[in-house]
């Protein structure tokens, strides 16, 4: 999707590489703008009982807001359409004179934009079920299917006996209220907790929507307890895979972001140089951005690695060869090789000295402040196949590392597997391993890496 000229977003290209995309970032960086525009990207399927969203629904023009978008504003989307030609179908929606045009050529899909108003407690809305409470009559009731209520029970960790909806009527008006039975007592959403009500509505919508729908969620963490946010995050991953939905959300919740892969996180930030909104993937950029804004010591330096395991390697080298270096550096675990490169760029743009070290299976040769570790392989494979390391664990811990890792396919699990066997933390195993590795080598083996770090941070 390419977006041009909406609110803070002058020009931005978004690639959706995962069924879930979570827009994170500081307030006013365009998260809701992008989520709302995405909701307008499809035509309503003729058969589905859903709403169709238009740009004007989200970007009202008035005397108070003459220009929420520029005259050349546009949204260009490329769709992978099933059964169609191999080329993605491209549709651009632009403002032609006074109307938006292009909608008719969009493909069909059921879209659900679940914003804050999806569950505004009726008590605050002074809905008729409140002000006319003494006059309403109850209509048909329906229970939620058991698997659906079980999901809600799981997320909220509340022991409901029954969840459902009931029709309420007051003069000519009819509405539905969510209902719950808990510890033998029944109540409607007028007496539900805010988080409770929201989860009931979000989950019901996701479970009953047509498969492969598009969901836009505005800060789904609202009103939820931290653990419940985490479980909601896991549920969203599950339902996206199980029902084929695509989920776009805005969020400020570290608990939800923590459940998502790097591919699913789009971090939005305004570039310090020109205030333009740009997007970077992954969570580490969030830490980096926060760090840039925090009160950091002048002249501070950052070293970004992919993860803590690679950082352990770098610090083991420093402990052996140049111990004083460690104190002056802030280590950032970026989450992946692309994130290392992005983090270094963002830090440098923010006026900081920063250097990136990617794993040995990457081919960074020092450009843009990023170089790969020696060894040509992921660091876990390098260290746990090294003779000195194998000897260390055999002698000090009577552990045959090779035999123990024989059945472990994923090298990211090596340290954790050994740690469990030894009753240690994985970080301690990594420290032992890297120290054994580094000790067995002459300092000159690490000259070129240290030279690179020094020259970049000088
Ligand atoms: N007419 C305009 N021209 C340029 N920028 C605008 C205009 N109107 C609003 N903005 C910018 O857009 C921002 C709001 O965008 P949006 O609602 O997408 O942000 P957000 O990332 O969702 O923020 P939050 O985290 O607070 O929900 C405002 O902070 C403002 O800076
Ligand atoms: Mg927002």
């Amino acid at each position: 999707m390419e977006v041009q000229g909406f609110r803070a977003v002058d020009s931005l290209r978004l690639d959706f590489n995962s069924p879930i995309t979570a827009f994170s970032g500081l307030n006013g960086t365009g998260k809701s703008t992008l989520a709302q525009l995405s909701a307008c990207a499809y035509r309503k399927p003729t058969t589905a009982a859903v709403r169709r969203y238009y740009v004007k629904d989200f970007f009202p023009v008035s005397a108070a807001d003459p220009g929420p978008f520029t005259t050349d504003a546009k949204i260009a989307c490329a769709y992978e359409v099933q059964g169609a030609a191999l080329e993605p179908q491209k549709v651009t929606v632009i403002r032609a004179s006074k109307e938006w045009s292009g909608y008719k050529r969009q493909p069909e899909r059921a879209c659900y934009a679940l914003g804050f108003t999806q569950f505004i407690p009726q008590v605050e809305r002074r809905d008729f079920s409140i002000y006319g409470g003494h006059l309403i009559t109850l209509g048909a009731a329906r229970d939620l299917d058991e698997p659906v209520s079980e999901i809600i029970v799981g997320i909220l960790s509340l022991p409901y006996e029954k969840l459902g909806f009931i029709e309420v009527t007051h003069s000519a008006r009819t509405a539905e209220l969510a209902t719950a039975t808990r510890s033998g007592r029944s109540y409607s959403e007028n007496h539900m907790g805010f988080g409770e009500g929201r989860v009931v509505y979000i989950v019901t919508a996701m479970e009953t929507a047509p498969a492969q729908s598009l969901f836009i969620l505005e800060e789904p963490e609202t009103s939820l307890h931290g653990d419940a946010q985490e479980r909601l995050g896991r549920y969203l991953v599950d339902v996206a895979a199980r029902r084929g939905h695509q989920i776009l959300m805005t969020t400020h919740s570290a608990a939800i972001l923590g459940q998502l892969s790097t591919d699913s996180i789009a971090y939005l930030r305004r570039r310090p140089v020109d205030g333009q909104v740009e997007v970077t993937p992954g969570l580490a950029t969030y830490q980096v951005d926060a760090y840039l804004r925090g009160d950091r010591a002048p002249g501070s330096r950052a070293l970004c690695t992919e993860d803590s395991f690679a950082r352990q390697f770098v610090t083991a080298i420093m402990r052996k060869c140049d111990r004083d270096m460690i104190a002056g550096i802030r280590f950032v675990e970026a989450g992946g090789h692309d994130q290392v490169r992005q983090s270094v760029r963002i830090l440098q743009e923010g006026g900081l000295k920063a250097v990136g070290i990617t794993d040995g299976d990457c081919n960074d040769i020092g450009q843009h402040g990023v170089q790969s570790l020696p060894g040509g392989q992921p660091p876990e494979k390098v260290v746990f196949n090294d003779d000195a390391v194998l000897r260390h664990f055999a002698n000090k811990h009577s552990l045959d590392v090779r035999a123990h890792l024989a059945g472990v396919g994923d090298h990211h699990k090596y340290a954790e597997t050994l740690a469990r066997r030894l009753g240690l933390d994985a970080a301690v195993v990594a420290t032992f391993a890297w120290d054994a590795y580094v000790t067995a080598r002459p300092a000159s083996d690490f000259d070129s890496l240290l030279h690179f770090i020094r020259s970049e941070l000088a």
Side-chain angles (χ1 to χ4, degrees):
M1 178 162 89
E2 284 171 26
V3 174
Q4 186 181 304
F6 286 90
R7 293 192 195 127
V9 183
D10 281 333
S11 174
L12 194 81
R13 182 198 155 103
L14 276 172
D15 290 298
F16 298 100
N17 296 315
S18 158
I20 300 187
T21 305
F23 298 113
S24 78
L26 300 174
N27 294 114
T29 45
K31 298 182 295 298
S32 299
T33 303
L34 293 172
Q36 291 162 343
L37 289 172
S38 313
C40 308
Y42 290 90
R43 224 149 36 99
K44 176 180 120 56
T46 36
T47 49
V50 293
R51 252 190 81 181
R52 197 254 190 261
Y53 300 94
Y54 296 98
V55 173
K56 69 171 167 49
D57 299 337
F58 297 109
F59 298 84
V61 181
S62 71
D65 275 293
F69 40 76
T70 57
T71 45
D72 58 352
K74 65 172 184 186
I75 318 128
C77 293
Y79 305 84
E80 301 284 350
V81 183
Q82 227 167 23
L86 291 175
E87 283 288 299
Q89 179 183 340
K90 290 191 177 153
V91 178
T92 302
V93 170
I94 51 160
R95 181 102 167 147
S97 62
K98 289 202 137 177
E99 293 286 309
W100 293 93
S101 80
Y103 289 133
K104 288 205 183 79
R105 287 179 294 117
Q106 292 177 328
E108 290 183 355
R109 191 180 197 181
C111 297
Y112 298 80
L114 309 185
F116 290 105
T117 54
Q118 191 219 8
F119 180 72
I120 292 199
Q122 318 271 12
V123 185
E124 290 189 15
R125 220 161 47 176
R126 301 311 294 170
D127 171 84
F128 73 81
S129 70
I130 308 287
Y131 69 74
H134 55 297
L135 295 171
I136 60 170
T137 51
L138 299 182
R142 62 185 170 97
D143 289 346
L144 275 183
D145 289 346
E146 201 162 312
V148 180
S149 9
E150 256 164 40
I151 293 168
I152 297 167
V153 166
I155 294 173
L156 293 169
S157 199
L158 292 176
Y160 295 112
E161 282 117 48
K162 212 162 71 178
L163 285 165
F165 291 90
I166 192 159
E167 217 175 72
V168 292
T169 308
H170 170 37
S171 44
R173 299 170 64 186
T174 299
E176 241 187 0
L177 289 181
T179 55
T181 308
R182 199 176 139 190
S183 318
R185 291 166 175 238
S186 296
Y187 54 93
S188 84
E189 67 179 71
N190 290 348
H191 294 270
M192 274 186 189
F194 300 168
E196 238 181 322
R198 272 206 122 196
V199 170
V200 169
Y201 274 97
I202 291 181
V203 172
T204 307
M206 295 198 138
E207 296 297 329
T208 54
Q212 301 190 324
S213 293
L214 174 68
F215 276 87
I216 312 293
L217 308 179
E218 268 284 7
E219 305 184 15
E221 67 268 22
T222 309
S223 318
L224 285 184
H225 176 258
D227 293 346
Q229 293 181 18
E230 199 175 307
R231 290 189 292 264
L232 178 66
R234 273 203 295 278
Y235 165 70
L236 295 176
V237 174
D238 163 72
V239 73
R242 181 162 48 79
R243 305 216 54 232
H245 294 327
Q246 182 173 7
I247 302 173
L248 308 185
M249 68 180 125
T250 65
T251 182
H252 294 290
S253 163
I256 290 182
L257 290 169
Q259 304 308 310
L260 306 178
S261 72
T262 303
D263 268 355
S264 302
I265 300 172
Y267 183 69
L268 295 168
R269 66 189 290 267
R270 287 171 188 261
R271 271 200 304 254
V273 271
D274 53 8
Q276 295 278 310
V277 173
E278 65 166 21
V279 62
T280 51
L283 193 56
T285 37
Y286 169 76
Q287 299 156 4
V288 165
D289 212 18
Y291 173 43
L292 276 175
R293 278 156 218 281
D295 38 17
R296 57 197 151 85
S300 49
R301 290 159 165 70
L303 188 152
C304 308
T305 57
E306 292 190 27
D307 53 24
S308 67
F309 199 77
R311 172 181 52 82
Q312 295 262 11
F313 186 12
V314 176
T315 51
I317 294 171
M318 291 176 179
R319 279 197 295 278
K320 178 186 173 92
C321 307
D322 188 351
R323 186 183 289 255
D324 291 341
M325 220 173 165
I326 297 172
I329 290 178
R330 172 165 169 136
F331 294 90
V332 175
E333 288 155 21
H337 48 90
D338 255 344
Q339 286 71 40
V340 168
R341 296 172 197 133
Q342 301 271 19
S343 301
V344 169
R345 180 181 61 77
I346 290 174
L347 288 163
Q348 289 178 343
E349 276 177 14
L352 244 74
K353 300 274 184 193
V355 63
I357 306 294
T358 52
D359 285 358
D361 48 340
C362 300
N363 297 315
D364 292 294
I365 51 163
Q367 272 178 323
H368 308 299
V370 182
Q371 183 168 307
S372 298
L373 287 169
Q377 281 197 317
E380 292 86 350
K381 290 196 176 169
V382 171
V383 76
F384 289 117
N385 281 308
D386 181 72
D387 285 335
V389 175
L390 298 179
R391 272 200 307 279
H392 171 86
F393 281 97
N395 296 339
K396 286 258 157 56
H397 304 281
S398 310
L399 184 72
D400 183 343
V401 169
R402 274 231 167 89
H404 220 76
L405 295 181
V408 185
D410 179 1
H411 57 264
H412 297 106
K413 299 256 156 72
Y414 285 178
E416 187 189 314
T417 307
L418 299 175
R420 222 176 301 125
R421 181 74 186 78
L422 295 170
L424 294 171
D425 289 338
V428 175
V429 170
T431 309
F432 287 167
W434 285 122
D435 278 342
Y437 181 92
V438 170
T439 306
R441 287 169 168 70
S444 57
D445 275 22
F446 308 113
D447 276 353
S448 89
L449 185 73
L450 286 175
H451 175 74
F452 173 71
I453 295 173
R454 272 190 213 106
S455 61
E456 291 294 324
L457 297 183

